[in-house]
Amino acid sequence: MNTPTLRQLQQLVYLAEERHFARAAQRAYVTQSALSRSLQNLEDTAGMRLFDRNSRSVEITPVGQRLVARARSLLSGADDLGREMRLLRSGDAGEVTVGCGAFTGLTLLPDAMARLYSEHPSVRIKLVQDNWRALMEALQQGKLDFFLAHITDIRPDDSLDIEPLGSLPGHFYCRSTHPLARRREVSARDLAGHHFASVALPPDFSRRLHALIAGPSGRGFEVALESENAGLLVQMALRSDVILVAGDAVLTQELASGQLVRLKVAELKEPRTPDLLIAQFGILRLKGRTLSPAAMMLADLVRAQAERILIAPERPPASRGTRDTKRSSATPRKKPSALRRGRARHVGRGKA
């Protein structure tokens, strides 16, 4: 048994409303004979008489009336589906699920999400905050469209697309009443014996920080609070003498008000350690998985925010004879002049 088409059901509804073949055919934009043949085929498919004709009018049978009622419901659902598809194409509807760490989220997402919602208020955004390992598992399970993370400790594989966005330097912070707060400069060894609050750092970061800080007593980088809850980390620093490891971009209010102070650590200025606390930001998604329109727009807004506030990533030159159309691999750029490099470092320090 053939399934009735939506076109046949629409024609049946027109005939039920008009009770006249000529007027129903006009509404359906077909000839009267074509309408008659189409509805005859529908009757043959149903195996029942759906309408009675006479010289003056058309009467719908009880069976036809039940089919008309069902047809109206199906046609309404089809209209809703078409509208949903149009909205999804434009990004005005749908849902995007994005993951982030404590500081990656605060650095890149608020402005991007606000702009997306302002331009497309029907979009639903679900935010999952966790460490990158948990977010990676959620991504592999199909629970995330993409996630943002520090990518220094993440190894690429055949299933993963890692798009570098740029970097920001990290710093040490303490509350204004902390014993170290009033010192113009401190050495890394001055931090020995203090406790720290931080997100989960890559093991190499932690080892290098410990080696930098550790004094004769052996005490070095000792984390008292590790959390992906940025608000909790900040409050811990405001309410105790723990030293917070973070970045200026997520502490604008606390720094402006003087509640938190950035410690100037002498060793971080030396040529051998300037990249010690550099956080490399990136977008991670599964290769070959098509993002929804809403997710693509949010990713584009995140990229735009990264271009405004992050130090641009260094991209390796593309292989000769190949063309990579992915956004994460730009065409080879000329080596910047010394003046441009100086300006980039100056801008980077201003935004840190």
Side-chain angles (χ1 to χ4, degrees):
M1 181 176 178
N2 295 327
T3 302
T5 66
L6 289 176
R7 184 177 183 181
Q8 287 176 313
L9 295 179
Q10 183 67 79
Q11 291 170 347
L12 179 63
V13 170
Y14 287 154
L15 184 60
E17 293 173 349
E18 298 295 339
R19 306 296 178 97
H20 193 279
F21 269 89
R23 292 194 296 269
Q26 187 176 17
R27 288 182 63 183
Y29 297 101
V30 297
T31 64
Q32 184 172 336
S33 59
L35 177 68
S36 180
R37 288 194 302 271
S38 178
L39 293 180
Q40 182 62 57
N41 289 336
L42 181 60
E43 279 192 320
D44 293 342
T45 298
M48 296 173 287
R49 183 175 289 277
L50 303 178
F51 47 87
D52 294 322
R53 315 182 202 189
N54 58 43
S55 58
R56 291 177 297 183
S57 65
V58 176
E59 297 296 331
I60 305 298
T61 67
V63 171
Q65 289 175 352
R66 293 191 61 180
L67 185 58
V68 167
R70 182 63 173 159
R72 285 195 174 104
S73 176
L74 291 172
L75 291 168
S76 176
D79 287 342
D80 289 343
L81 179 60
R83 178 178 179 275
E84 182 76 6
M85 291 173 65
R86 291 190 298 272
L87 291 173
L88 285 170
R89 280 197 302 269
S90 68
D92 285 333
E95 181 174 300
V96 52
T97 304
V98 58
C100 67
F103 294 131
T104 53
L106 283 176
T107 303
L108 296 174
L109 279 176
D111 284 350
M113 291 191 299
R115 287 187 60 191
L116 179 63
Y117 179 75
S118 175
E119 297 172 7
H120 305 278
S122 297
V123 169
R124 296 180 297 277
I125 303 173
K126 182 178 180 181
L127 182 64
V128 179
Q129 183 173 303
D130 212 325
N131 63 73
W132 73 263
R133 289 183 176 83
L135 295 175
M136 183 72 74
E137 183 177 353
L139 182 72
Q140 298 286 357
Q141 294 173 353
K143 296 179 181 179
L144 298 176
D145 292 298
F146 63 88
F147 72 91
L148 307 175
H150 297 163
I151 60 176
T152 307
D153 202 39
I154 301 178
R155 296 181 181 274
D157 61 45
D158 293 339
S159 67
L160 192 63
D161 185 4
I162 303 177
E163 178 184 345
L165 294 175
S167 62
L168 279 180
H171 300 281
F172 296 103
Y173 304 86
C174 64
R175 62 178 177 175
S176 58
T177 56
H178 192 282
L180 299 177
R182 295 186 179 182
R183 296 177 59 172
R184 296 183 60 182
E185 187 173 88
V186 298
S187 70
R189 294 294 174 87
D190 291 329
L191 303 179
H194 293 277
H195 292 89
F196 298 84
S198 173
V199 298
L201 295 175
D204 183 56
F205 268 40
S206 297
R207 285 192 295 268
R208 292 172 66 190
L209 285 174
H210 183 81
L212 184 71
I213 294 171
S217 65
R219 300 188 64 182
F221 185 62
E222 300 178 0
V223 178
L225 175 63
E226 181 181 288
S227 174
E228 294 300 322
N229 186 324
L232 182 60
L233 293 172
V234 172
Q235 287 302 314
M236 184 71 168
L238 290 172
R239 298 166 186 264
S240 72
D241 280 341
V242 300
I243 296 174
L244 176 64
V245 181
D248 285 0
V250 297
L251 299 172
T252 52
Q253 294 183 358
E254 290 80 10
L255 293 174
S257 65
Q259 293 176 287
L260 289 180
V261 176
R262 185 212 292 178
L263 296 176
K264 297 180 180 180
V265 182
E267 286 82 355
L268 295 183
K269 300 178 182 179
E270 296 180 7
R272 62 185 178 86
T273 57
D275 62 341
L276 179 60
L277 284 179
I278 294 294
Q280 305 286 344
F281 293 74
I283 294 178
L284 297 96
R285 51 176 292 193
L286 294 181
K287 288 183 178 177
R289 178 171 293 179
T290 301
L291 295 180
S292 69
M296 287 190 288
M297 285 190 295
L298 181 59
D300 281 341
L301 291 170
V302 167
R303 293 183 184 103
Q305 178 70 359
E307 289 178 358
R308 286 191 292 270
I309 67 173
L310 300 184
I311 303 170
E314 293 185 4
R315 305 183 189 279
S319 300
R320 181 172 297 179
T322 63
R323 294 184 64 185
D324 189 350
T325 58
K326 290 176 63 177
R327 182 166 189 146
S328 60
S329 298
T331 55
R333 295 185 296 180
K334 294 181 179 179
K335 186 176 181 180
S337 65
L339 176 60
R340 289 177 59 195
R341 289 197 302 270
R343 286 177 177 172
R345 286 194 296 270
H346 178 72
V347 171
R349 287 195 298 269
K351 291 182 179 293

